[in-house]
Amino acid sequence: MSPRVLVTVLHRFCAASVAGAVVACGVIVPAAAAGAAIPVPRPDDAMALTRAWTPVDDPADPLVLVNKSRPISPRGWAPDDLVRPDVPALGAHDRLRPRAARALERLAAAADHATGRELVLASAYRSEADQRRLYARYVAGHGRREADTFSARPGFSEHQTGLAVDVAQQGTSYTRFGRTETGRWVAANAWRHGFVVRYPKGAEDVTGYSAEPWHLRYVGTALATRMHLAGTGTLEEAFGAAAAADYGR
């Protein structure tokens, strides 16, 4: 990051007026509406906006990078601390890692407060075996080439980490989420609760997937805030990692 960009980002971070709240170098003046203020990294994360972020391989870490060139390792790994967030769910895949679950509860409450619409959980943790069955079904129906544009192969899915969640607006298919009031609000505010829209429109050559406004990935508020303020669209770019448009095999 250049010095000029760094100064701009820090200025926005240290003196930002957001929906009635002011962030002043780590001090938040409460807003009239709950959840309106920019979350500030903890004191020990004071360098969040200037540090060089690097991905990790540990699938239990919120900073793990999973894509078409970085599979889950070790193979078959599964989290042992999954919980069900207090958010309405549409199916059986309704568990997340604790930090992601609590963050989703806050995101859902804030979305409901802001839009009057209920955010629901469409799909969260999926095991490698679950993903194998899902991917096989998509391949059978669409062919492997097309399936690879919208479904991860087994062992390469963020859902296996328990840190990714597909969401929807109550009463609407998750595939229409980006066109809903809740979807538009989430796109603008998910970062406040530690989530990023993992596969944004226009980033297909980087992520390898078609746009999925419903697919959120928990990375923590420090990195999510940095990405928002710096205008970074994907985790690959945030980590300075190579694009992963294909599996390469």
Side-chain angles (χ1 to χ4, degrees), residues 18 36-39 107 186-197 220-229:
V18 182
I38 292 179
L107 175 68
V186 166
N189 294 280
W191 63 275
R192 301 178 189 275
H193 303 276
F195 287 98
V196 296
V197 177
T221 54
L223 179 55
T225 300
R226 161 68 188 278
M227 290 177 65
H228 173 75
L229 294 181

Side-chain angles (χ1 to χ4, degrees), residues 129-145:
D130 290 333
Q131 191 67 27
R132 181 175 295 106
R133 289 188 288 270
L134 181 64
Y135 179 73
R137 189 169 77 237
Y138 286 141
V139 169
H142 302 272
R144 182 179 293 272
R145 183 184 295 274

Side-chain angles (χ1 to χ4, degrees), residues 180-249:
T180 66
E181 185 175 1
T182 303
R184 290 187 289 270
W185 185 90
V186 166
N189 294 280
W191 63 275
R192 301 178 189 275
H193 303 276
F195 287 98
V196 296
V197 177
R198 180 65 176 95
Y199 306 122
K201 184 177 181 179
E204 293 83 356
D205 289 344
V206 176
T207 67
Y209 294 103
S210 301
E212 294 189 359
W214 59 84
H215 181 105
L216 307 181
R217 165 65 195 281
Y218 180 77
V219 296
T221 54
L223 179 55
T225 300
R226 161 68 188 278
M227 290 177 65
H228 173 75
L229 294 181
T232 306
T234 69
L235 286 184
E236 285 78 11
E237 294 166 297
F239 288 135
D246 204 351
Y247 291 98
R249 58 180 175 82

Side-chain angles (χ1 to χ4, degrees), residues 41-58:
R42 300 183 305 272
D44 58 337
D45 288 333
M47 299 303 292
L49 299 181
T50 58
R51 60 176 278 192
W53 292 87
T54 56
V56 300
D57 296 322
D58 181 1

Side-chain angles (χ1 to χ4, degrees), residues 12 67 106 160 186-187 189 218 245:
R12 293 173 66 189
N67 58 29
R106 293 190 291 270
Q160 190 177 334
V186 166
N189 294 280
Y218 180 77

Side-chain angles (χ1 to χ4, degrees), residues 21-88:
V22 176
V23 179
C25 294
V27 178
I28 300 178
V29 178
I38 292 179
V40 179
R42 300 183 305 272
D44 58 337
D45 288 333
M47 299 303 292
L49 299 181
T50 58
R51 60 176 278 192
W53 292 87
T54 56
V56 300
D57 296 322
D58 181 1
D61 193 309
L63 297 184
V64 65
L65 178 60
V66 178
N67 58 29
K68 291 182 176 181
S69 65
R70 295 175 66 103
I72 299 286
S73 181
R75 185 170 181 175
W77 180 87
D80 60 4
D81 58 350
L82 294 168
V83 298
R84 289 180 173 83
D86 187 15
V87 175

